Amino acid sequence: MKYPALWKMLMVAVCVALVGCLQAQELQGHVSIILLGATGDLAKKYLWQGLFQLYVDEVGKDHSFSFHGAALTAPKQGQELMAKALESLSCPKDMEPSHCMELKDQFLRLSQYRQLKTVEDYETLAKDIEAQVKEEGLRETGRIFYFSVPPFAYVDIARNINSSCRPGPGSWLRVVFEKPFGHDHLSAQQLATELGSFFQEEEMYRVDHYLGKQAVAQILPFRDQNRKALDSLWNRHHVERVEVIMKETVDAEGRISFYEEYGVIRDILQNHLTEILTLVAMELPHDVSSSAAVLQHKLQAFRALRGLHRGSAVLGQYQAYSAQARRELQRPESFHSLTPTFAGVLVHIDNLRWEGVPFILMSGKALDERVGYVRILFKNRAFCVHREGHWAPEQSQCLPRQIIFHIGHGELGHPAILVSRNLFRPSVPAHGWMELQERPGLQVFGRPLSDFYAYSPVKERDAYSILLSHIFHCRKESFITTENLLASWVFWTPLLDSLAHEVPRLYPGGAETGHLLDLEFNGGHLTFSQQQPEQLVPGPGSAPKPSDFRVLGTRYRESPLISAWPEELISKLASDIEATAVQAVRRFGKFHLALSGGSSPIALFQQLAMGHYSFPWAHTHLWLVDERCVPLSDPDSNFQGLQSHLLQHIRVPYYNIHPMPVHLHQRLCAEEDQGAQTYAGEISALVANSSFDLVLLGMGTDGHTASLFPQSPTGLDGEQLVVLTQSPSRPYQRMSLSLPLINRAKKVAVLVMGRTKREITMLVSRVGHEPKKWPISGVLPSSGQLVWYMDYEAFLG
Ligand code: BG6
């Protein structure tokens, strides 16, 4: 041998490599996937197919697999049912059929049914996995438990997995949940807390399958890749509105027991559409692939959503629904469901990017077509003189400008991203997406397809197969974290509560629905465009409408009284205030208005903000009648109410706004800070004769007005214009205009609304001038006018 040393070295190297390979083989990773609810609908329709796709994609790489289909059903019957579910597995289109058959055989061999009912069943499962791993000389990489079961079963299963089925050290556990994740904020929180006691946040994957839809998954990458073009466009200056839409032709038959409890808002809007909304609205993180950054930006977007109110939504129900519910739930003939199967909701986002841009969320069952999309429609400020026939899609600024993430179905029939050619040529991922071929005659969103740069995925993939792959690869950005989930429920729960007894508009379903569900919005309100031809369900909606009544004029405590249904009363008061303002500005150049806080004036503020465009705000000074001794940013602060319902929607010069100085030197209403005196000084300096043009007051159930309370003498008489007072309820400390100052006003309007005011209204109608007992009875402008505005509930009971 010529080079014995070299030989020796070579042999050693070969041996080391061999041992390494053997070890690697010995230590090949093994993943067990346990599908709970393996014989259910979702498993049959999507999950088995998704698992097969995962196997096809991953087999021969780093891991071996076993698939455990599990359910409560006894082994023999369960086995049969599972075999049926597996029969229909289909091969990926681009795969050689013989190769696919081979993989399918392997997959079926690796998929076993087992009954999982008791703790012992879970213990046995754990032992079986350990034994298999050991026997086959594998290393356990991890276990995935997919909960495709009703949520009431979650906690028991979670407990069993946690106590008996966690993999050993060094391997991971992933648990996957399907919605519904609660019914409202409280129940979602309870469920999250319970699950959180069994699993770490990083172990949990809450599925929203819309995040696996290819067009939805492209929203952030698209925004990222087109930052340059979008930076200047993606905001209130350029976006006219955003539509997030999911229309279905199917109805709820066969699922009524679920649907009756949830309805369309919980089923679709609270999750799928809200997720899409946040992807469009959020500030773009620097790194869109960082799930932590995406989550933080999403939460920030949630915080900016303006609270919804009853007028933000319209509801519908397809006509056959109640009969289906009676059949499936075995209810009597008299049963009428109020569950909405259609909803449109108008969302506003209070931040500088989106202020004033309407986001319309809409979904429904039994509609005329199946389609899902999010459409960003841009404003158009151009006017083209040249004839329309000569407008070129690339150049003409007169054609509509829109970006559409087309989720699926509809005229196009598949996912797509469409960008109007007169916007910019977008970049889309080089892999996986391709430019769409021309389809002559096809119109999308009112324009021929050729008007758009249009792209679609090279290979259409089902959302579940994408999400299963993300779970396997630990890509958490496509899942709903606990914080994300709760933020969404915080947003939706108040609306759901306020709509609980709303009678939905009935619609025939399908094409026959015609324009019955068409929507329009005005300010913060969304309404149906058409009047309902007739009310088909008797219910709370059969009460008389405000427009059935005329404003009633009469007298109360010897002053004029205006009485009407709330909506009409508020309209009347708002118009009267505007008329007073116009008159004052015409005569004196200014209008000094002092406003109350509390709940009654909220509707008035909204009405003034949304319905009075010629109000002379630029010449109006806004004062507070009273204030609670809390920071001005506190939700309890009267100023805060004024700010959120009025000030932020109008243009008043900031130096015309006069909040009460309750928070000076970082303390609240300290006598030494002389806040009351400062306010009085400001009034004397700016308001001629300290005589406001209009003071708006309310009346408490104890007869208080402003923050002048019974049995508390401060502010009822004397020289002081502004006083510190004590309230019997929290927050106890208050600042208030005094009765003498109020009575110097040119006009005082007292707004009284709601049934709870009935008794005090009666009482005060009979008493004389007794401000110590009922401060409101001391309101009598010395030379001005007093007008009472009462709704029928307060006045007539
Ligand atoms: C589910 C809802 O989340 O989404 C169903 O519970 C709805 O009511 C379904 O039909 C729609 O999903 P897809 O993928 O068919 O658009």
Side-chain angles (χ1 to χ4, degrees):
M1 185 155 303
K2 223 170 165 190
Y3 302 109
L6 195 68
W7 257 114
K8 232 186 216 168
M9 273 166 66
L10 211 65
M11 286 303 287
V12 171
V14 168
C15 286
V16 167
L18 259 174
V19 170
C21 286
L22 281 174
Q23 261 174 4
Q25 223 171 28
E26 253 173 32
L27 295 180
Q28 192 196 6
H30 182 80
V31 176
S32 313
I33 302 183
I34 301 98
L35 176 53
L36 299 142
T39 54
D41 265 358
L42 189 71
K44 270 191 258 176
K45 253 169 115 176
Y46 301 108
L47 298 178
W48 280 118
Q49 184 65 42
L51 289 174
F52 178 47
Q53 183 68 48
L54 179 72
Y55 182 68
V56 168
D57 293 342
E58 300 295 334
V59 68
K61 293 188 184 165
D62 299 329
H63 294 99
S64 61
F65 290 90
S66 54
F67 301 92
H68 305 265
L72 297 175
T73 321
K76 192 163 172 291
Q77 200 191 349
Q79 209 109 41
E80 283 165 16
L81 288 170
M82 191 173 116
K84 269 216 175 96
L86 287 168
E87 254 168 28
S88 53
L89 289 184
S90 61
C91 287
K93 280 199 192 93
D94 51 356
M95 189 178 241
E96 177 69 27
S98 59
H99 182 46
C100 176
M101 285 319 288
E102 201 182 306
L103 291 180
K104 198 168 155 181
D105 280 348
Q106 288 172 15
F107 179 75
L108 293 179
R109 257 182 280 124
L110 295 172
S111 305
Q112 300 297 327
Y113 177 80
R114 64 168 59 231
Q115 185 181 26
L116 279 185
K117 210 171 174 182
T118 60
V119 196
E120 292 75 35
D121 292 337
Y122 284 84
E123 285 165 359
T124 314
L125 170 64
K127 279 192 197 124
D128 290 353
I129 294 176
E130 279 151 30
Q132 184 196 354
V133 167
K134 203 163 166 201
E135 211 168 280
E136 294 176 19
L138 304 167
R139 168 179 56 84
E140 184 167 14
T141 303
R143 297 178 191 177
I144 298 175
F145 284 86
Y146 199 117
F147 286 55
S148 176
V149 296
F152 63 78
Y154 280 6
V155 173
D156 282 341
I157 298 177
R159 186 178 296 111
N160 287 339
I161 294 173
N162 183 46
S163 67
S164 322
C165 243
R166 279 187 169 275
S171 26
W172 46 251
L173 170 71
R174 290 179 193 150
V175 287
V176 188
F177 301 110
E178 274 290 335
K179 75 180 177 63
F181 311 120
H183 187 262
D184 54 14
H185 182 239
L186 186 67
S187 54
Q189 198 161 33
Q190 277 164 354
L191 180 63
T193 310
E194 280 178 305
L195 294 177
S197 68
F198 301 120
F199 306 120
Q200 306 287 329
E201 183 70 32
E202 63 269 18
E203 292 175 330
M204 291 192 275
Y205 290 71
R206 285 191 193 84
V207 170
D208 181 316
H209 78 283
Y210 265 63
L211 293 181
K213 302 252 176 194
Q214 285 163 299
V216 176
Q218 268 307 309
I219 297 175
L220 285 186
F222 176 89
R223 288 182 59 192
D224 186 40
Q225 280 159 30
N226 295 283
R227 264 180 208 264
K228 223 164 155 205
L230 291 176
D231 255 1
S232 58
L233 286 174
W234 208 255
N235 56 52
R236 71 192 149 108
H237 303 297
H238 293 277
V239 175
E240 166 97 24
R241 65 163 182 240
V242 177
E243 300 166 355
V244 190
I245 307 299
M246 206 272 241
K247 291 172 70 179
E248 296 187 276
T249 47
V250 290
D251 63 20
E253 195 167 21
R255 295 175 74 205
I256 304 269
S257 62
F258 158 80
Y259 209 81
E260 191 49 17
E261 214 182 310
Y262 290 90
V264 64
I265 297 185
R266 293 182 174 89
D267 188 35
I268 306 286
L269 280 81
Q270 177 274 324
N271 37 73
H272 306 325
L273 302 195
T274 306
E275 285 304 309
I276 297 172
L277 166 83
T278 57
L279 292 176
V280 172
M282 70 160 82
E283 294 300 305
L284 201 56
H286 183 65
D287 174 7
V288 292
S289 59
S290 152
S291 42
V294 169
L295 173 65
Q296 284 321 312
H297 286 73
K298 232 185 213 185
L299 293 174
Q300 196 183 26
F302 271 115
R303 285 192 288 272
L305 295 178
R306 188 185 301 167
L308 298 170
H309 55 96
R310 220 168 138 157
S312 315
V314 290
L315 303 180
Q317 184 191 78
Y318 64 83
Q319 235 158 333
Y321 181 83
S322 275
Q324 291 175 347
R326 287 193 287 271
R327 249 195 330 272
E328 285 186 30
L329 307 177
Q330 283 147 23
R331 296 288 172 86
E333 266 314 294
S334 58
F335 175 77
H336 285 283
S337 165
L338 290 182
T339 304
T341 61
F342 168 89
V345 178
L346 176 62
V347 176
H348 276 103
I349 302 179
D350 286 329
N351 60 23
L352 281 180
R353 185 180 292 281
W354 296 117
E355 190 191 289
V357 179
F359 283 70
I360 299 152
L361 273 52
M362 187 275 271
S363 183
K365 299 245 180 239
L367 297 180
D368 59 336
E369 61 172 343
R370 181 177 186 194
V371 67
Y373 59 85
V374 47
R375 172 182 186 227
I376 297 106
L377 183 68
F378 292 87
K379 291 180 182 167
N380 201 335
R381 301 196 185 94
F383 175 82
C384 298
V385 175
H386 206 37
R387 266 192 295 144
E388 187 175 343
H390 295 267
W391 295 354
E394 273 88 356
Q395 287 143 22
S396 176
Q397 288 312 310
C398 286
L399 288 171
R401 303 188 303 157
Q402 37 193 339
I403 295 179
I404 296 141
F405 296 92
H406 193 266
I407 300 166
H409 308 284
E411 289 292 316
L412 263 177
H414 53 72
I417 300 174
L418 308 174
V419 179
S420 294
R421 284 181 185 267
N422 57 4
L423 273 173
F424 59 93
R425 179 186 262 283
S427 6
V428 290
H431 299 295
W433 287 75
M434 59 182 187
E435 206 148 340
L436 260 177
Q437 297 299 317
E438 269 276 4
R439 281 165 58 185
L442 178 66
Q443 293 259 328
V444 274
F445 301 94
R447 300 301 310 166
L449 187 60
S450 56
D451 269 18
F452 298 92
Y453 294 112
Y455 306 84
S456 68
V458 176
K459 196 162 124 191
E460 207 176 321
R461 285 191 62 185
D462 170 62
Y464 279 98
S465 80
I466 293 180
L467 292 180
L468 280 163
S469 154
H470 287 188
I471 295 163
F472 181 71
H473 291 289
C474 187
R475 286 182 50 186
K476 290 220 75 173
E477 74 274 14
S478 324
F479 300 89
I480 310 295
T481 63
T482 306
E483 274 180 295
N484 183 168
L485 173 74
L486 295 180
S488 175
W489 278 119
V490 164
F491 176 61
W492 286 102
T493 303
L495 178 75
L496 287 162
D497 288 346
S498 73
L499 294 173
H501 304 291
E502 189 91 352
V503 181
R505 169 175 290 199
L506 292 184
Y507 59 95
E512 265 180 68
T513 302
H515 293 286
L516 196 59
L517 299 177
D518 290 357
L519 309 171
E520 61 189 44
F521 48 90
N522 186 359
H525 288 261
L526 188 73
T527 50
F528 286 119
S529 310
Q530 285 189 1
Q531 291 279 316
Q532 169 111 327
E534 57 189 292
Q535 188 65 32
L536 294 152
V537 180
S542 55
K545 289 194 213 73
S547 49
D548 299 341
F549 298 84
R550 282 186 308 124
V551 176
L552 193 74
T554 172
R555 293 185 83 75
Y556 180 82
R557 288 181 65 81
E558 292 167 20
S559 291
L561 164 73
I562 292 173
S563 192
W565 289 99
E567 215 173 296
E568 211 170 7
L569 183 76
I570 292 294
S571 295
K572 170 81 177 123
L573 176 55
S575 307
D576 289 355
I577 296 177
E578 178 170 346
T580 314
V582 169
Q583 218 177 25
V585 172
R586 203 174 290 145
R587 290 181 62 197
F588 313 112
K590 294 186 205 85
F591 173 55
H592 286 283
L593 171 64
L595 293 169
S596 284
S599 54
S600 293
I602 289 178
L604 172 72
F605 296 164
Q606 289 168 344
Q607 173 77 23
L608 286 171
M610 303 302 177
H612 288 259
Y613 296 102
S614 6
F615 200 104
W617 292 118
H619 305 284
T620 299
H621 281 256
L622 289 165
W623 301 84
L624 270 285
V625 158
D626 66 333
E627 186 55 281
R628 294 147 187 218
C629 296
V630 293
L632 295 188
S633 56
D634 191 294
D636 268 348
S637 151
N638 286 345
F639 182 76
Q640 192 48 235
L642 188 64
Q643 160 68 18
S644 49
H645 298 291
L646 182 64
L647 296 181
Q648 65 165 330
H649 308 294
I650 58 176
R651 304 271 181 267
V652 187
Y654 75 90
Y655 41 78
N656 282 10
I657 299 173
H658 308 280
M660 281 187 156
V662 287
H663 196 190
L664 295 170
H665 305 121
Q666 306 205 344
R667 49 190 184 181
L668 295 163
C669 295
E671 287 278 1
E672 312 85 277
D673 291 334
Q674 306 244 318
Q677 290 81 340
T678 307
Y679 205 55
E682 208 176 326
I683 294 169
S684 308
L686 294 175
V687 185
N689 301 323
S690 302
S691 167
F692 289 109
D693 296 302
L694 201 155
V695 174
L696 174 74
L697 296 175
M699 173 166 75
T701 47
D702 56 355
H704 81 258
T705 192
S707 274
L708 304 169
F709 295 93
Q711 323 302 347
S712 146
T714 341
L716 298 180
D717 46 27
E719 295 296 305
Q720 269 184 282
L721 300 184
V722 183
V723 289
L724 288 178
T725 65
Q726 288 289 325
S727 155
S729 57
R730 276 171 186 278
Y732 301 119
Q733 273 193 302
R734 308 289 173 101
M735 189 179 282
S736 177
L737 303 190
S738 68
L739 212 42
L741 176 60
I742 291 171
N743 285 336
R744 285 165 91 151
K746 298 193 181 85
K747 185 167 178 180
V748 176
V750 185
L751 175 63
V752 190
M753 294 183 52
R755 192 175 293 261
T756 54
K757 302 287 169 70
R758 175 73 199 117
E759 261 175 50
I760 189 71
T761 307
M762 290 263 286
L763 183 72
V764 168
S765 73
R766 293 192 300 256
V767 304
H769 184 263
E770 291 191 69
K772 285 208 171 103
K773 281 195 186 154
W774 302 284
I776 187 74
S777 71
V779 175
L780 202 57
S782 37
S783 57
Q785 192 198 12
L786 169 64
V787 184
W788 297 85
Y789 292 82
M790 293 189 181
D791 71 351
Y792 288 141
E793 291 207 320
F795 182 55
L796 303 171

